[in-house]
Amino acid sequence: MSDVWSGRAQAFRDSPTHREGPDLDLLVELCEPGEGVKVLDVATGGGHVARRLREEGCTVITVDPAPGMQPDVVAPAEELPFADGSFDVVTCRIAAHHFPDVRKAVNEMARVTQRLVVLEDNVFVAEGVEEAERLRDPTHVRCYSEEEWKTLLTDAGLEVEQVARFERHPVVDDWLARVDTPAEEASRVRELLGDRISDGVLNLQSIVVKARRSQK
């Protein structure tokens, strides 16, 4: 799978919905950035979170399983090669729906942070949307509901402090082209998401969650 994602690297660097947006602004704010704050950006992708946090003065280490994404460290979210409590903050944006074992990944993020885990991902809406996501991109595993995220984070020893929901609006043609969806599958995706597409733009729902390491 990492080879697939390496081939997609530039498309995700250029993606407007990954590069900017109020959801990204909030995620950066919730990381409580500043000089000397050490951050791990998990599944960094196009590196947009890392860029913004570095602009805020943070020291950021990026990790991604795809070498083509040019991370500082090549590794999956489920096997972070860092000691316990190595970072002040761990962040992960719009990637967890690809993780083969999301619970293990969240546990790893909780293990290596001293203070915060701040993440964003597309939120579960309906099984039809999940089917469309898998047809568009076979690396899609599953999106999770707000309650599922709260449970995952709490079970990992974190206390959820803040939750925010956003709408993201990618252009459908670009969204499909970004992962080279074949024409037949793309047609079926459009059918499944018909009520979520307006004037060529898709309505996606995402969730941003801030969780703090429990001091209990």
Side-chain angles (χ1 to χ4, degrees):
M1 187 173 71
S2 62
D3 288 340
V4 170
W5 281 99
S6 290
R8 298 171 175 176
Q10 193 58 48
F12 277 80
R13 291 189 188 102
D14 295 340
S15 166
T17 57
H18 290 78
R19 189 175 60 238
E20 58 194 8
D23 56 318
L24 176 57
D25 295 341
L26 179 63
L27 183 143
V28 170
E29 177 186 332
L30 294 183
C31 287
E32 301 176 2
E35 295 291 337
V37 175
K38 190 173 182 181
V39 182
L40 178 67
D41 184 27
V42 176
T44 190
H48 305 297
V49 171
R51 168 180 53 82
R52 288 286 302 276
L53 288 170
R54 285 171 180 147
E55 290 172 355
E56 295 288 334
C58 299
T59 299
V60 184
I61 302 297
T62 58
V63 61
D64 198 286
M69 293 294 183
Q70 300 177 354
D72 297 311
V73 177
V74 176
E78 293 89 347
E79 298 176 17
L80 298 176
F82 306 101
D84 296 1
S86 296
F87 300 90
D88 299 306
V89 183
V90 177
T91 187
C92 179
R93 179 170 180 258
I94 317 177
H97 56 278
H98 296 289
F99 295 166
D101 189 338
V102 70
R103 180 173 293 276
K104 187 176 181 182
V106 171
N107 287 342
E108 279 289 272
M109 287 187 266
R111 179 183 65 79
V112 301
T113 189
Q114 291 184 18
R115 191 163 75 233
L116 296 173
V117 172
V118 183
L119 58 85
E120 177 183 7
D121 201 19
N122 298 334
V123 69
F124 179 85
V125 176
E127 289 298 342
V129 176
E130 292 296 301
E131 181 182 352
E133 289 273 17
R134 287 188 291 270
L135 282 170
R136 169 190 175 250
D137 179 3
T139 71
H140 176 85
V141 176
R142 188 174 182 272
C143 293
Y144 303 92
S145 68
E146 178 176 334
E147 289 307 311
E148 285 175 310
W149 273 118
K150 288 179 176 177
T151 298
L152 285 165
L153 292 161
T154 300
D155 287 351
L158 301 168
E159 296 178 351
V160 176
E161 288 190 350
Q162 189 168 340
V163 177
R165 286 179 173 262
F166 287 88
E167 289 187 357
R168 298 168 53 241
H169 300 98
V171 175
V172 176
D173 288 346
D174 295 344
W175 182 68
L176 293 166
R178 194 173 302 131
V179 293
D180 297 318
T181 307
E184 184 174 343
E185 282 82 353
S187 178
R188 177 59 179 154
V189 168
R190 290 176 185 277
E191 289 178 12
L192 288 165
L193 299 179
D195 61 342
R196 301 183 180 277
I197 298 173
S198 178
D199 296 325
V201 174
L202 176 63
N203 184 326
L204 285 177
Q205 306 289 317
S206 73
I207 189 171
V208 178
V209 186
K210 176 182 181 180
R212 191 174 299 272
R213 188 175 183 87
S214 176
Q215 300 303 311
K216 295 178 181 179

